[in-house]
Amino acid sequence: MAPIILILNGPNLNMLGTREPATYGHETLADISKLCADTAAELGLSTEFRQTNHEAELIDWIHKARGRCAGIVINPAAWTHTSVAIRDALVACELPVIEVHLSNVHKRETFRHHSFVSPVALGVICGLGSGGYRAALQHFSHLVKE
Ligand code: DQA
């Protein structure tokens, strides 16, 4: 069976398409989900794509990935800047993690410059829009073949 990459999206990302299009573009989360599914099919990966506005739910999904998935792509959205609990869950699951942001958070407000997730991530991609999800999956396809 193809290795499973879990793709997790945090709060307000269900609003993409209509949410601050000047910052996040016009693509919807369904468009990004399709891009990830198409990319995974090209690369021989299997993906599960999820979004939640509830931090506890995201933490439960991270725990359940341990031993089941080959890696996690996560856009923690606003929880990036606030959540020690998500950081700790990512460490506990012992999987490689790639952090993705649609926007370049370093060009934005200073409160977005700090991430609790980045120090425990394998890598961070920001500012490339949905291309960041695609790049993260491409990296995982190399990693699982090593
Ligand atoms: C975001 C950046 C975060 O600062 C913000 O809270 C989001 C989206 C991004 O994808 O650019 O909700 O993670």
Side-chain angles (χ1 to χ4, degrees):
M1 203 185 114
I4 302 171
I5 307 299
L6 184 61
I7 306 169
L8 298 175
N9 295 280
N12 303 307
L13 293 173
N14 55 309
M15 303 289 287
L16 287 177
T18 53
R19 175 191 180 201
E20 302 178 67
T23 301
Y24 298 116
H26 292 279
E27 275 182 304
T28 64
L29 197 64
D31 295 331
I32 297 176
S33 172
K34 184 174 181 319
L35 172 76
C36 289
D38 292 348
T39 303
E42 272 169 37
L43 298 171
L45 296 170
S46 159
T47 49
E48 292 176 15
F49 189 95
R50 301 188 190 157
Q51 187 276 331
T52 182
N53 294 322
H54 304 277
E55 190 172 355
E57 188 170 36
L58 190 83
I59 291 167
D60 287 343
W61 289 340
I62 294 168
H63 292 171
K64 287 179 187 150
R66 189 186 157 117
R68 189 179 72 82
C69 296
I72 297 179
V73 176
I74 185 167
N75 182 346
W79 293 327
T80 308
H81 320 296
T82 62
S83 181
V84 175
I86 289 172
R87 178 221 178 268
D88 286 353
L90 291 169
V91 173
C93 82
E94 295 185 342
L95 292 172
V97 172
I98 301 181
E99 177 184 347
V100 170
H101 299 283
L102 295 159
S103 65
N104 179 352
V105 287
H106 300 290
K107 266 187 177 171
R108 301 180 63 195
E109 303 95 323
T110 48
F111 66 83
R112 294 185 205 276
H113 297 178
H114 178 261
S115 166
F116 282 103
V117 172
S118 297
V120 301
L122 174 67
V124 183
I125 304 169
C126 74
L128 304 184
S130 60
Y133 290 74
R134 191 171 156 81
L137 290 174
Q138 283 165 335
H139 189 77
F140 271 129
S141 89
H142 296 304
L143 208 63
V144 297
K145 282 174 199 147
E146 272 169 17

